Amino acid sequence: MAEASDRMGETTTGSVRGTPGVRVRAPARLHFGFLDLNGGLGRRFGSLGLALDAPAVQLVARPARRAAASGPEAERVRSYLLAAASHLDVPDAAAITVEETIPAHAGFGSGTQLALSVAAALARLNGQPFSPDDFADVLDRGNRSGVGLAAFTQGGLIVDGGRDESGAPPPVIARLPYPEAWRVVLILDEAAIGVHGSRETEAFRDLPVFDAGQAAEICRIVLMQVLPAAATAEPQGFGAGITAIQKRIGDHFAPHQGGRFASPAVAEVLAAIAAEGIPGYGQSSWGPTGFALMPSQAEAEALVARLERPGRLRFVIAKGRNAGASVLDIA
């Protein structure tokens, strides 16, 4: 199928103009929380997150007479295609078929992954280099978190250093491989959507100043608990650190999402997970997706078997993805 391939984390000039087609697959990401919403040191936000092997964006792009898109979110994809063509200074003559999508406004960073996938595909079709950081500015992506950009280019467990006054995308200051045996149980509420768009902008505008002492404690937890636990594959300390961050961030955002967690149905499941003594759990970004961190596939499957019941929630077992998006030439 594939005559040539690359990972977006590598430097590449793309394939020659006229390739028959390109398939891009890009990972979803979990956003575990912000490091410093106070911003008193000159950088604000800072994020901790993880690339996942599922859900994912997958699309195929082929040369065409004019810009076209089909499949889920076709209108959005076409708008990204036109923006990418303008940014890359190449023709917009491509047809894009979306084969898989990441649920929108669910805490997975779907818009960033879809936009970058379209741009990477168009660049490859035209034999052009592609910089995700530059394109993020074009589409107003990575405004607060650099985790989505880094998930696309590198994958793994990611820490970014927040934004300064320059407006440049947040720099990645730490990146570790996620232990291969570990699993993430995703709890999806498909009847709810997370805060986004103008509501998100208003929330960040209206929230009170985050306590500097709390921000300092979060940074300490990340540096001295979460990252060392990931580096040594110690799930108890990793999970406990993530939950401690979640509690602090969730309570800060509670006025704009109806509580520590956005979905009451997800919150009920997370309470049951906590009652079992599972150390790592929480909500990704604005939700409504919840997660539980499990040390193995078997333990993840057992947890889902205990939690699953008829209703609005869906459970998915995912792995961390320690590579960025794949870009493959296809016949």
Side-chain angles (χ1 to χ4, degrees), residues 26-241:
R29 62 96 176 107
L30 289 184
H31 192 276
F32 289 134
F34 290 112
L35 277 66
D36 187 356
L37 287 164
N38 178 275
L41 298 179
R43 285 187 173 272
R44 192 171 180 225
F45 303 116
S47 296
L48 173 67
L50 173 67
L52 298 175
D53 71 337
V57 167
Q58 183 165 293
L59 56 81
V60 169
R62 298 184 185 277
R65 292 184 178 181
R66 60 183 66 86
S70 60
E73 301 201 65
E75 184 175 340
R76 194 180 189 188
V77 167
R78 189 175 185 278
S79 71
Y80 291 154
L81 174 58
L82 296 176
S86 176
H87 171 67
L88 294 166
D89 194 24
V90 299
D92 60 19
I96 295 182
T97 301
V98 181
E99 298 178 335
E100 294 181 40
T101 56
I102 298 168
H105 311 309
F108 290 123
S110 63
T112 296
Q113 301 308 310
L114 188 60
L116 294 177
S117 295
V118 170
L122 186 64
R124 186 64 169 249
L125 282 179
N126 287 274
Q128 296 293 320
F130 172 61
S131 167
D133 282 1
D134 290 347
F135 191 65
D137 288 341
V138 173
L139 285 187
D140 204 26
R141 296 285 158 185
N143 268 340
R144 300 180 184 89
S145 171
V147 170
L149 295 176
F152 190 87
T153 58
Q154 304 177 56
L157 180 68
I158 300 152
V159 182
D160 79 60
R163 294 198 73 142
D164 62 12
E165 294 182 356
S166 73
V172 174
I173 57 174
R175 186 268 180 197
L176 291 174
Y178 198 68
E180 290 291 337
W182 291 5
R183 298 292 184 268
V184 181
V185 174
L186 302 172
I187 308 154
L188 289 83
D189 183 347
E190 296 175 322
I193 59 173
V195 173
H196 65 281
S198 61
R199 284 185 61 207
E200 182 179 19
T201 302
E202 291 166 6
F204 279 104
R205 181 195 66 202
D206 297 341
L207 283 167
V209 176
F210 195 77
D211 179 72
Q214 289 272 48
E217 182 63 16
I218 290 172
C219 290
R220 176 173 177 247
I221 291 167
V222 170
L223 182 61
M224 299 305 296
Q225 183 173 11
V226 170
L227 293 182
T232 59
E234 198 280 286
Q236 187 80 17
F238 183 84

